[in-house]
Amino acid sequence: MIFNTKILIAGFLLLCVSCSGKSGTKIQLQEEQTASIQEEGFCSVVEPEDPESLSIEIFYSTDTDRIIFDNYVTYIEPFKHNPISELVIETARFFLNKPYVASTLEFEPEGLVVNLREFDCTTFVETVLALSYIVKMHDDPAFEDFCKQLQYMRYRRGVINNYMDRLHYFSDWIYENENRGFVKDITGAIGGEPYRFDLYYISSHPDNYNQIKSHPEYVEVIRRKENEISERNLYSCILKTKMTSGEKEMRDGDIVCFVTDIEGLDVSHVGFIYHENEEITFIHASTSAKKVIINPQTLSVYIGKSKRNAGLMVVRPLFSE
C-alpha cells in the first residue's frame, strides 16, 4: 500500500506519494525539477559525506517489504561476521525464487523504491549489496539504515531530485560506487583488456522511457552524461573469446557484469559469482527463468551461448575492508 502522506521515521522524512499522481506535491516537484534541469542539466546539490546524512523525501514501499527485511535480519544473523564474500552470497540466497519483474523503479515523481518482493537483475544486485553493507556495518541494522544505503548506491551523489539522478548505465554505477569505496573494478587486474564504451542508447530511444517521454528536456541531459561516461578511459573487459582469463581470481560475491555488443549500451545483465561443485556459475534475477536463481550453466557456457555478449567485467565488494 502506498500512502499520500508524510511520515517521520527515525529522524528522516518519508514523503510517500500515490501512484495516481493526485498529490499537489508532485506538480510542485516537477515544476521545480524542470526549471533546474533547463538551467543546469542536473540539480546542484552537495553530496552527503555518508548515507547516514541522507534525507529520503519520496519513498515507495509496502508493509511486506519491512516484514521481509526483518526476516532477512533474523536469517543473516549467524553469518554477519563472516567474510563479505560469504555474507553477499548468503544474502543473495535468501532471495532465491523471488520473481523477476522489470521496471519496478518507474514511479513519478522519482523517489526511492524499496521492493524486496521482486527484482530485475540490477535491483537484485543493489538490494543484496545494500543489505550486506548495513548488516556488516551496523550492530543492530534497521530498515531505515537499509533504505539510506540503497539510495546512496542507486543515485548519483545519493540525492534524488529527479529521474536524471539515477545511475542508469551500470558502467556509471561502477564508477560512482567505486569512488565511494563500496566496490572495486578488478577486471583489468585479472586479465581484462582496456575497453571503451560508446553510450547513446537512452538518448536515442527516448520513447522507451516514460519519464523521458514526459520530460523531453531530459534527452539533452542524458546525452551529456552518456558522452561523459564514454570519455572515461577507465574500463576493462574480459573478452568472450578469452573467458578462461581471470576465472581462478573470481571470488564468491563478486559482481559479474555482462558487457553487450548492442550499440549504445554497456552492460545488459548482472549477478553474483558463485562457486558450486568446483565450477563457476552465478546467482541472478533471471529474465528467462523469471525468478532469482543459481544459474544451472557454468559462467563460461552461459556467456558462450549469449549471442549479444562481448565479454564481462568483474567488480568486487570492498566495504568490509
Side-chain angles (χ1 to χ4, degrees):
M1 185 164 65
I2 300 175
F3 302 94
N4 246 342
T5 184
K6 295 182 179 180
I7 308 173
L8 187 64
I9 299 181
F12 65 92
L13 187 65
L14 304 183
L15 174 57
C16 304
V17 185
S18 72
C19 297
S20 65
K22 294 180 180 179
S23 168
T25 306
K26 174 181 177 181
I27 298 173
Q28 179 182 357
L29 281 169
Q30 288 181 336
E31 289 175 348
E32 292 173 353
Q33 291 168 358
T34 298
S36 181
I37 283 285
Q38 290 171 337
E39 290 175 6
E40 303 182 37
F42 288 89
C43 296
S44 178
V45 298
V46 177
E47 180 174 353
E49 293 182 1
D50 57 61
E52 297 300 321
S53 62
L54 281 180
S55 173
I56 299 179
E57 296 181 350
I58 304 176
F59 180 78
Y60 302 98
S61 192
T62 70
D63 292 339
T64 301
D65 297 307
R66 184 180 287 271
I67 293 170
I68 294 172
F69 173 83
D70 291 339
N71 291 340
Y72 163 76
V73 171
T74 301
Y75 166 87
I76 207 67
E77 178 64 28
F79 307 101
K80 65 184 301 182
H81 298 298
N82 289 16
I84 189 60
S85 59
E86 296 177 18
L87 182 59
V88 168
I89 289 300
E90 288 301 329
T91 301
R93 290 174 62 89
F94 176 80
F95 292 106
L96 287 176
N97 297 314
K98 290 290 185 183
Y100 176 98
V101 177
S103 303
T104 58
L105 303 185
E106 309 314 312
F107 289 95
E108 288 195 79
E110 185 75 12
L112 178 65
V113 176
V114 176
N115 186 343
L116 301 180
R117 294 157 283 118
E118 55 202 13
F119 304 96
D120 65 23
C121 67
T122 301
T123 60
F124 174 65
V125 165
E126 289 176 330
T127 297
V128 168
L129 286 179
L131 286 170
S132 300
Y133 179 88
I134 62 108
V135 165
K136 200 70 173 175
M137 298 303 180
H138 295 261
D139 292 333
D140 186 19
F143 185 68
E144 290 73 26
D145 299 325
F146 163 62
C147 293
K148 289 182 178 183
Q149 184 62 38
L150 184 63
Q151 178 170 315
Y152 199 58
M153 287 181 168
R154 181 177 289 165
Y155 287 89
R156 187 172 291 103
R157 303 179 303 270
V159 177
I160 305 174
N161 297 290
N162 52 64
Y163 180 72
M164 292 292 93
D165 289 311
R166 203 192 308 167
L167 298 168
H168 298 288
Y169 287 100
F170 206 79
S171 56
D172 197 27
W173 187 99
I174 294 169
Y175 174 81
E176 293 288 340
N177 281 285
E178 185 167 23
N179 284 343
R180 295 168 187 169
F182 295 129
V183 299
K184 174 68 175 177
D185 182 357
I186 64 168
T187 313
I190 64 171
E193 302 177 12
Y195 199 87
R196 193 158 191 165
F197 296 111
D198 181 17
L199 303 182
Y200 55 84
Y201 188 89
I202 297 176
S203 64
S204 61
H205 296 81
D207 289 346
N208 291 356
Y209 305 89
N210 288 334
Q211 290 90 334
I212 299 179
K213 280 172 60 177
S214 59
H215 295 275
E217 68 274 12
Y218 287 176
V219 175
E220 182 56 33
V221 178
I222 195 66
R223 182 178 291 117
R224 292 201 298 269
K225 179 52 65 175
E226 289 168 338
N227 291 339
E228 177 188 323
I229 301 168
S230 300
E231 289 171 2
R232 294 173 186 157
N233 193 21
L234 303 170
Y235 302 108
S236 298
C237 177
I238 299 174
L239 299 179
K240 184 176 182 177
T241 55
K242 301 181 179 180
M243 261 303 299
T244 56
S245 175
E247 279 195 347
K248 63 181 180 180
E249 304 295 333
M250 297 179 192
R251 299 179 188 170
D252 282 359
D254 286 347
I255 306 167
V256 57
C257 315
F258 296 92
V259 177
T260 183
D261 64 4
I262 296 174
E263 294 184 355
L265 285 178
D266 53 355
V267 171
S268 59
H269 195 56
V270 291
F272 292 103
I273 293 291
Y274 181 56
H275 289 76
E276 186 174 56
N277 299 324
E278 299 184 358
E279 293 189 307
I280 298 179
T281 184
F282 60 106
I283 304 176
H284 62 132
S286 168
T287 55
S288 57
K290 300 299 182 185
K291 61 183 179 180
V292 175
I293 62 170
I294 299 172
N295 203 69
Q297 302 168 319
T298 64
L299 182 65
S300 58
V301 169
Y302 177 89
I303 197 171
K305 289 184 175 181
S306 177
K307 295 179 180 179
R308 301 311 305 263
N309 198 277
L312 57 82
M313 301 171 68
V314 181
V315 179
R316 180 159 294 163
L318 287 183
F319 41 78
S320 68
E321 299 182 7

